[in-house]
Amino acid sequence: MLDQYAVFGNPIAHSKSPQIHTWFAQQTNQQLEYSAILAPEDDFEASAKSFFASGGLGANVTVPFKLDALVFADTLSPRARRAGAVNTLQKGKNNQIYGDNTDGVGLVRDLTNNLGFSLADKKVLLVGAGGAARGVIEPLLNAGVAQLKIANRTPEKAQQLVKIFHGLQPETQLTSGNWASLEANQFDLIINATSSSLAGDLPPLPDHLFTQQSLAYDLMYSQQATPFMLWAKQQGATQVADGLGMLVEQAAEAFFLWRQVRPKTKLVLERLRPKQD
Ligand code: ATR
């Protein structure tokens, strides 16, 4: 039997992970099989247990199971613990399950390697304070940003995140606030980590947040530009990106953890990107 890997989610039918990992495996000559598993919404544990008991070596975990995976793992990487979520599982010695989170690293790699955006000394606005936002804070801080402001509809949740990550990189100014606190500020990078795009909605951000060099990044990806991306273009953002690159990069990081070989991501990203006419 080939080495078994999988992605767990609900829904999962449209996941790009099986395709991405199959391309990675072909490219690096790794003999493995990667499948998509639809776990019941209320029983991730049973589904994951059965996968690992029947020989599974590693798994990716997506919506809505990243918290369940955190609980399921026997040991956690420090970054997964701080992110409060697990997107990658690996069977280790004595069948212990190790939980990691590669989402944030995936975002930072996409920004720096694919989009050519250097994070050092930049002013960054993170919009949203849910699970997605929490998952990307640590790698942004480690990339040496000068300022990271977390703004959220419910500002108390943003404040809570500041408390969790406070002191990790003391030289970064880490602050939080509501929409009004953004007035008269400008940022080099604005990341939409809210789930508002799912509802075709947009956080009510003030005008003039972008400079002429700013990048707007939506953690979501879809065939069309999200409302946040359209808004950013109207606002004059020079560069606008969705989260497809982050998806590929977080997958590459998981693949590296499992197989100790780092796949090249550029071609995979190009193959996934719908052709622009
Ligand atoms: P996820 O894991 O995708 O981050 P989540 O933990 O439910 O999901 O968090 C959703 C985030 O999107 C939150 O920051 C939420 O704001 P609140 O904390 O105030 O609820 C934000 N959000 C969702 N819909 C939004 C909308 N229409 N406008 C602004 N923010 C929205």
Side-chain angles (χ1 to χ4, degrees):
M1 191 173 75
L2 291 178
D3 289 353
Q4 298 293 314
Y5 296 87
V7 58
F8 289 85
N10 189 334
I12 200 64
H14 297 292
S15 169
K16 295 184 191 302
S17 292
Q19 180 66 83
I20 293 171
H21 283 277
T22 302
W23 281 335
F24 284 168
Q26 285 166 358
Q27 183 207 107
T28 56
N29 286 321
Q30 298 287 302
Q31 306 303 313
L32 59 87
E33 218 163 53
Y34 188 106
S35 48
I37 297 179
L38 177 74
E41 251 185 84
D42 59 353
D43 210 352
F44 169 79
E45 189 185 349
S47 199
K49 253 190 185 151
S50 133
F51 170 74
F52 283 108
S54 63
L57 294 182
N60 288 127
V61 181
T62 186
V63 180
F65 298 126
K66 291 184 187 184
L67 271 176
D68 299 88
L70 182 86
V71 175
F72 180 75
D74 300 307
T75 54
L76 292 171
S77 66
R79 65 185 178 187
R81 191 175 299 114
R82 271 191 290 268
V86 159
N87 79 332
T88 305
L89 293 167
Q90 183 181 31
K91 184 149 77 177
K93 289 192 190 100
N94 308 323
N95 294 333
Q96 290 270 303
I97 304 296
Y98 172 72
D100 195 7
N101 191 315
T102 65
D103 282 331
V105 168
L107 169 66
V108 167
R109 286 241 168 81
D110 189 35
L111 287 167
T112 52
N113 298 358
N114 302 331
L115 298 169
F117 186 89
S118 160
L119 283 157
D121 303 321
K122 293 290 169 29
K123 284 181 71 173
V124 180
L125 171 62
L126 182 60
V127 184
R134 184 168 168 177
V136 301
I137 293 171
E138 179 165 348
L140 287 171
L141 292 175
N142 290 342
V145 300
Q147 292 182 30
L148 179 60
K149 171 138 192 174
I150 309 169
N152 196 40
R153 181 171 62 183
T154 316
E156 295 75 23
K157 278 164 74 179
Q159 210 178 353
Q160 202 54 41
L161 292 185
V162 168
K163 278 196 189 139
I164 293 170
F165 291 93
H166 169 81
L168 202 62
Q169 288 293 345
E171 59 280 16
T172 301
Q173 194 188 331
L174 180 61
T175 57
S176 68
N178 57 12
W179 308 139
S181 75
L182 299 174
E183 292 287 351
N185 277 291
Q186 289 197 310
F187 297 90
D188 303 302
L189 168 64
I190 301 185
I191 299 168
N192 180 29
T194 71
S195 50
S196 61
S197 296
L198 282 176
D201 207 357
L202 184 70
L205 297 169
D207 291 334
H208 313 302
L209 289 179
F210 293 101
T211 71
Q212 285 185 344
Q213 282 81 43
S214 297
L215 167 65
Y217 195 105
D218 200 329
L219 296 189
M220 299 258 318
Y221 68 87
S222 65
Q223 299 282 41
Q224 290 89 31
T226 64
F228 172 77
M229 292 165 75
L230 294 173
W231 171 82
K233 271 185 201 150
Q234 280 167 7
Q235 289 285 322
T238 327
Q239 227 184 333
V240 175
D242 67 11
L244 189 64
M246 173 176 169
L247 177 78
V248 173
E249 295 296 339
Q250 64 76 31
E253 187 72 12
F255 192 92
F256 178 68
L257 178 77
W258 297 329
R259 310 297 297 187
Q260 290 82 51
V261 43
R262 192 171 283 287
K264 291 198 172 70
T265 51
K266 197 166 172 279
L267 275 179
V268 169
L269 192 48
E270 278 170 14
R271 286 170 85 174
L272 284 176
R273 182 80 63 201
K275 297 269 172 295
Q276 315 260 315
D277 295 321

